[in-house]
């Protein structure tokens, strides 16, 4: 057994662990190195994430080949957030890096040295939950930035690319040091932004989700626009993080204020205000406003079918209202909760009037930055915009006066304990637009009974939230329990079912520290997978119990019978 001078190296591959290498080079945390990796000793790049330490090893250990970049490409605070995310979301650090960042980040070359921010910061930083009208949000942020004359870095998170771009269009006119960092940003621009942030330059970063993991040095303020929006929760990647929650942790790491802004705050945020973790401000007294029922029309889909007033997905009455609006040179937005229904909506509209100039927003992942920029320049050339959740929050620059919701109650039928809240927030947001923006709203229901919707319209926000909290508490859902979802998928439905049942039967005997709910087969986004809920106490032995879950699932993944199955751990689903 020999003593070696060792370091831990993060390699950008989807694995659950970091690797130990020996080295005699001068290196530090964040240095980029070249190393031999795998059975074939392929030369790859890695990042040092530990200080050198002495370790006794009785097996062969590989050696670092060379130092590519001595200066750290990570900030201390960034690494703290990444490590917290790994522990909290039960995902290996390399998987996080591989999931969130482009491999081109390892190619960064720093032209000059920089110094991590060592300034002492006040412990008086706050997490503020602010209720404000959507039209005031950006104006208030601009005014605050002007009045405080920040010489530091600012992060502004938006729920989707449309809202990010529309916010940039306004904010960049006032602040030239404003940049977008999201899925539409090119690799070369991401590297430039990364370097500017790391060199502690004065920047305002606008982004969605992954921007929270940038290497900030001196973050002064964080804003999360529409903090309630469920799109802040990543659902497609290995790391199922919530950007809003990560932003709150980031504010604590940097000891800076964070404003969570919404016109209908999330249930979790309201819970945190009751626990005195967040400070609550209702700037516009918006949550207590009464609804102007004269501006809202409710159409029952089943009744219209019986009266032969519906052909396709939209009733003839609604199609006629859109046509009258068009003849008055006024514009409309049509919302449907399912992307798969957008084409059918467009078909019905074209059939009704082929002269409409229509834009359908379905798959935002295929839209480029240039297309987004052109879209906002020409946005008011369209007569009608059709889309899913993105159209509600991201199209403030579209001068429409009629908003139509097609079958929004489909949301409440989803197999997700949050579906009622998502449905309520959508309706609440829309009906409050009526009071502020002088718009009219038409809601077409897919269910035969519209009493549920009428109740939502007449209730005030606090009653609805209180009712939902009571229900969550009764069934031990978030925020009263720490919820972890295990999702097992396979290429074959029958295999998902059989392996899912095996997994459930095994863990129900091993995880005696939590309540386990066997949800079974679930269909989401065209995929079928087996879901199991684990409900843990939020405080008692939480970290220890989460570690047990993580280690057990790692063992299961290594078993031959589960080789063809993908098992995903989703914390706070």
């Amino acid at each position: 057994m020999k003593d070696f001078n060792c370091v831990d190296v993060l390699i950008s591959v989807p694995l659950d662990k970091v690797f130990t290498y020996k080295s005699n080079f001068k290196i530090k945390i964040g240095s980029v190195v070249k190393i031999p990796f795998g059975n074939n000793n392929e030369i790859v790049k890695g990042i040092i994430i530990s200080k050198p330490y002495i370790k006794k090893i009785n097996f062969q250990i590989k050696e670092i080949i060379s130092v590519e970049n001595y200066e750290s490409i990570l900030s201390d605070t960034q690494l703290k957030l990444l490590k917290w995310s790994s522990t909290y979301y039960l995902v290996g650090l390399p998987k996080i890096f591989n999931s969130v960042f482009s491999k081109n980040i390892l190619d960064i070359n720093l032209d000059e040295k920089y110094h991590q921010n060592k300034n002492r910061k006040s412990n008086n930083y706050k997490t503020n939950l602010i209720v404000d009208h959507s039209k005031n949000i950006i104006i208030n942020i601009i005014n605050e930035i002007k009045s405080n004359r920040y010489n530091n870095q600012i992060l502004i998170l938006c729920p989707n690319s449309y809202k990010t771009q529309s916010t940039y269009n306004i904010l960049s006119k006032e602040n030239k040091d404003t940049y977008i960092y999201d899925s539409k940003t090119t690799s070369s621009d991401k590297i430039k932004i990364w370097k500017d942030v790391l060199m502690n330059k004065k920047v305002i970063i606008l982004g969605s989700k992954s921007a929270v993991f940038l290497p900030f040095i001196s973050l002064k303020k964080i804003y999360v626009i529409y903090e309630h929006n469920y799109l802040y929760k990543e659902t497609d990647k290995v790391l199922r993080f919530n950007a809003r929650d990560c932003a709150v942790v980031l504010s604590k790491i940097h000891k800076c204020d964070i404003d969570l802004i919404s016109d209908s705050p999330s249930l979790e945020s309201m819970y945190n205000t009751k626990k005195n973790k967040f400070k609550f401000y209702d700037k516009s007294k918006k949550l207590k406003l009464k609804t102007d029922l004269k501006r809202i029309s409710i159409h029952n889909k089943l009744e219209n079918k019986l009266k032969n007033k519906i052909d396709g997905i939209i009733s003839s009455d609604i199609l006629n209202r859109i046509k009258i609006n068009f003849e008055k040179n006024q514009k409309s937005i049509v919302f449907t909760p399912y992307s798969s229904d957008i084409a059918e909506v467009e078909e019905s509209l074209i059939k009704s009037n082929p002269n409409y100039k229509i834009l359908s927003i379905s798959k935002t992942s295929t839209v480029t930055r240039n297309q987004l920029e052109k879209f906002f320049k020409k946005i008011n050339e369209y007569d009608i915009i059709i889309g899913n959740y993105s159209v509600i929050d991201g199209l403030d620059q579209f001068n429409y006066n009629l908003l139509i919701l097609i079958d929004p109650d489909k949301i409440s039928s989803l197999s997700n304990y949050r579906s009622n809240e998502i449905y309520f927030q959508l309706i609440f947001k829309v009906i409050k637009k009526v009071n502020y923006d002088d718009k009219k709203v038409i809601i077409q229901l897919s269910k035969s009974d519209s009493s549920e919707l009428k109740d939502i319209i007449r209730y005030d926000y606090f009653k609805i939230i209180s009712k939902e909290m009571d229900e969550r508490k009764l069934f031990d859902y978030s925020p009263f329990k720490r919820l972890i979802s295990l999702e097992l998928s396979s290429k074959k439905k029958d295999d998902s079912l059989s392996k899912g049942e095996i997994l459930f039967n095994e863990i129900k005997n091993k995880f005696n520290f939590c309540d386990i709910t066997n949800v079974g087969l679930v269909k989401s986004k065209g995929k079928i997978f087996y879901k199991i809920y684990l409900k843990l106490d939020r405080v008692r032995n939480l970290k220890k119990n989460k570690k047990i879950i993580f280690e057990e699932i790692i063992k299961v993944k290594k078993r031959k019978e589960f080789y063809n199955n993908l098992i995903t751990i989703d914390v706070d689903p």
Side-chain angles (χ1 to χ4, degrees):
M1 187 176 290
K2 294 183 178 181
D3 290 348
F4 288 103
N5 197 27
C6 299
V7 287
D8 294 331
V9 181
L10 185 155
I11 303 168
S12 185
V13 289
L15 299 173
D16 288 306
K17 64 177 183 177
V18 296
F19 293 85
T20 302
Y21 284 82
K22 61 182 179 180
S23 174
N24 294 316
F25 290 105
K26 181 183 177 182
I27 47 179
K28 60 182 179 181
I29 294 176
S31 296
V32 179
V33 294
K34 278 191 173 181
I35 48 176
F37 181 72
N39 294 330
N40 296 325
N41 287 323
E42 181 183 354
I43 307 303
V44 300
K45 290 182 180 180
I47 305 175
I48 306 297
I49 60 165
S50 76
K51 292 181 179 179
Y53 57 91
I54 303 297
K55 187 174 184 179
K56 293 182 181 292
I57 297 178
N58 58 1
F59 55 87
Q60 186 178 3
I61 183 169
K62 296 179 182 179
E63 190 169 356
I64 291 174
I65 296 173
S66 63
V67 179
E68 282 288 289
N69 190 350
Y70 172 73
E71 295 301 331
S72 177
I73 68 166
L74 305 175
S75 70
D76 294 343
T77 51
Q78 178 191 30
L79 193 53
K80 284 180 182 178
L81 182 64
L82 288 169
K83 287 182 176 179
W84 172 86
S85 300
S86 177
T87 302
Y88 186 86
Y89 291 108
L90 303 181
V91 179
L93 202 55
K95 279 188 176 180
I96 292 178
F97 205 87
N98 188 71
S99 175
V100 175
F101 302 127
S102 165
K103 290 183 179 180
N104 293 333
I105 295 299
L106 297 178
D107 297 328
I108 287 178
N109 287 314
L110 298 175
D111 300 324
E112 54 183 303
K113 291 183 179 181
Y114 72 94
H115 298 283
Q116 303 277 17
N117 188 29
K118 302 295 182 182
N119 296 333
R120 291 184 178 180
K121 293 192 175 184
S122 169
N123 287 321
N124 295 325
Y125 59 93
K126 304 183 296 297
T127 301
N128 305 308
L129 178 61
I130 298 174
V131 180
D132 205 357
H133 177 45
S134 57
K135 281 192 172 181
N136 298 335
I137 292 174
I138 306 304
I139 296 170
N140 289 339
I141 290 175
I142 290 172
N143 290 337
E144 185 172 294
I145 291 172
K146 281 182 178 178
S147 62
N148 285 285
R149 295 180 181 177
Y150 291 132
N151 290 315
N152 305 83
Q153 299 169 337
I154 297 171
L155 172 63
I156 303 174
L157 292 181
C158 298
N160 57 53
S161 297
Y162 287 95
K163 188 61 184 175
T164 303
Q165 186 65 49
S166 65
T167 303
Y168 176 82
N169 294 343
I170 300 169
L171 194 60
S172 60
K173 293 176 182 177
E174 302 288 338
N175 298 275
K176 64 178 181 178
D177 300 318
T178 302
Y179 303 96
I180 298 179
Y181 188 96
D182 64 6
S183 59
K184 311 300 177 191
T185 308
T186 64
S187 294
S188 58
D189 284 341
K190 282 185 176 180
I191 288 177
K192 181 185 182 305
I193 292 169
W194 187 292
K195 288 176 69 173
D196 285 349
V197 171
L198 194 56
M199 298 305 293
N200 201 16
K201 292 185 179 180
K202 176 186 173 183
V203 289
I204 298 173
I205 301 297
L206 267 171
S208 53
K209 288 190 260 197
S210 61
V212 77
F213 291 109
L214 279 167
F216 295 104
I217 300 295
S218 57
L219 199 55
K220 183 67 176 179
K221 184 70 180 277
I222 303 174
Y223 301 90
V224 182
I225 296 175
Y226 298 143
E227 64 83 28
H228 68 277
N229 197 306
Y230 73 91
L231 296 177
Y232 280 119
K233 171 68 174 178
E234 181 60 71
T235 58
D236 293 330
K237 295 184 179 179
V238 172
L239 175 60
R240 301 286 186 88
F241 69 101
N242 188 308
R244 177 200 63 200
D245 297 345
C246 288
V248 172
V249 174
L250 184 64
S251 73
K252 293 176 180 177
I253 292 172
H254 280 272
K255 296 185 177 181
C256 69
D257 285 0
I258 178 171
D259 287 354
L260 306 176
I261 311 170
S262 175
D263 44 11
S264 53
S266 64
L267 187 145
E268 278 83 5
S269 292
M270 292 301 292
Y271 176 83
N272 282 322
T273 63
K274 289 188 174 185
K275 295 294 182 180
N276 295 317
K277 293 181 179 180
F278 297 174
K279 291 188 176 294
F280 180 70
Y281 303 92
D282 188 351
K283 284 189 174 182
S284 58
K285 304 299 179 187
K286 181 178 175 60
L287 297 181
K288 291 185 178 180
L289 287 177
K290 292 183 179 179
T291 306
D292 185 355
L293 296 175
K294 294 178 182 178
R295 295 182 176 275
I296 299 175
S297 301
I298 298 175
H299 289 244
N300 190 291
K301 193 172 183 178
L302 183 59
E303 290 175 2
N304 282 317
K305 278 188 175 180
L306 293 173
K307 295 175 183 178
N308 295 317
K309 286 189 173 183
I310 189 164
D311 180 19
I313 199 168
I314 308 179
S315 75
S316 57
D317 289 342
I318 294 176
L319 289 172
N320 191 49
R321 287 283 298 276
I322 295 172
K323 187 176 181 181
I324 292 170
N325 209 45
F326 170 73
E327 289 171 351
K328 292 180 179 179
N329 292 320
Q330 294 177 323
K331 304 177 187 300
S332 306
I333 284 182
V334 182
F335 166 89
T336 176
Y338 289 123
S339 297
S340 56
D341 289 341
I342 291 176
E344 193 175 348
V345 170
E346 184 174 12
E347 185 179 332
S348 293
L349 287 168
I350 293 172
K351 187 177 178 181
S352 169
N353 188 342
N355 295 320
Y356 291 146
K357 188 171 183 181
I358 300 173
L359 175 71
S360 293
I361 299 173
S362 52
K363 293 183 178 180
T364 58
S365 58
T366 59
V367 179
T368 65
R369 172 73 62 217
N370 286 337
Q371 287 172 328
L372 268 179
E373 290 172 351
K374 289 177 182 177
F375 162 67
F376 278 103
K377 287 178 182 177
K378 298 181 177 180
I379 188 170
N380 285 300
E381 293 180 9
Y382 298 100
D383 303 311
I384 304 169
I385 293 181
I386 312 166
N388 52 19
Y389 208 86
S390 300
V391 306
I392 302 298
D393 283 338
L395 303 182
D396 294 335
Q397 291 168 259
F398 185 51
N399 297 325
Y400 69 98
N401 73 311
L402 180 61
L403 177 58
I404 300 108
L405 304 187
I406 302 298
D407 305 338
D409 48 337
K410 283 184 178 180
I411 295 172
S412 60
S413 64
L414 296 174
S415 56
N416 185 324
Y417 73 97
R418 295 183 186 275
S419 59
N420 283 338
E421 183 192 358
I422 295 170
Y423 174 55
F424 155 66
Q425 286 178 337
L426 169 66
I427 300 300
F428 189 85
K429 176 186 288 292
V430 166
I431 62 179
K432 293 310 175 187
K433 281 181 179 292
V434 165
N435 291 340
Y436 274 97
D437 300 338
D438 194 29
K439 301 183 189 304
K440 292 183 179 179
V441 174
I442 302 174
I443 304 173
Q444 176 182 286
L445 296 178
S446 59
K447 294 180 181 177
S448 59
D449 182 14
S450 63
S451 60
E452 181 184 3
L453 177 63
K454 289 177 180 177
D455 285 344
I456 288 176
I457 291 174
R458 286 177 170 83
Y459 274 148
D460 78 17
Y461 171 87
F462 296 103
K463 287 183 180 179
I464 292 288
I465 286 293
S466 177
K467 181 182 177 183
E468 183 67 16
M469 277 197 184
D470 289 343
E471 192 167 319
R472 297 267 191 98
K473 190 173 184 178
L474 179 65
F475 292 101
D476 284 337
Y477 283 122
S478 173
F480 301 97
K481 291 283 187 177
R482 178 65 66 213
L483 196 65
I484 297 177
S485 173
L486 302 180
E487 297 176 5
L488 181 146
S489 61
S490 178
K491 291 182 179 179
K492 296 181 180 179
K493 178 181 175 180
D494 291 344
D495 188 51
S496 294
L497 178 61
S498 61
K499 297 294 175 55
E501 289 176 343
I502 291 171
L503 180 62
F504 169 71
N505 288 323
E506 286 188 9
I507 64 175
K508 74 177 181 180
N509 297 320
K510 292 181 180 180
F511 298 162
N512 57 7
F513 49 80
C514 65
D515 295 325
I516 303 178
T517 301
N518 189 16
V519 180
L521 287 176
V522 172
K523 186 176 181 180
S524 178
K525 297 182 179 180
K527 299 178 182 177
I528 296 176
F529 53 87
Y530 198 96
K531 181 181 283 190
I532 302 168
Y533 277 149
L534 310 178
K535 300 171 182 177
L536 291 76
D537 188 276
R538 289 177 63 92
V539 179
R540 189 169 61 246
N541 297 322
L542 179 60
K543 192 172 183 179
K544 174 186 173 183
N545 292 336
K546 286 174 70 176
K547 185 179 180 182
I548 292 172
I549 293 169
F550 178 67
E551 290 175 348
E552 182 60 32
I553 296 303
I554 293 296
K555 290 178 186 176
V556 171
K557 287 179 178 179
K558 290 180 179 178
R559 283 161 48 184
K560 188 175 181 180
E561 61 187 303
F562 287 97
Y563 276 0
N564 295 323
N565 302 114
L566 174 65
I567 303 176
T568 303
I569 301 176
D570 190 355
V571 179
D572 301 337

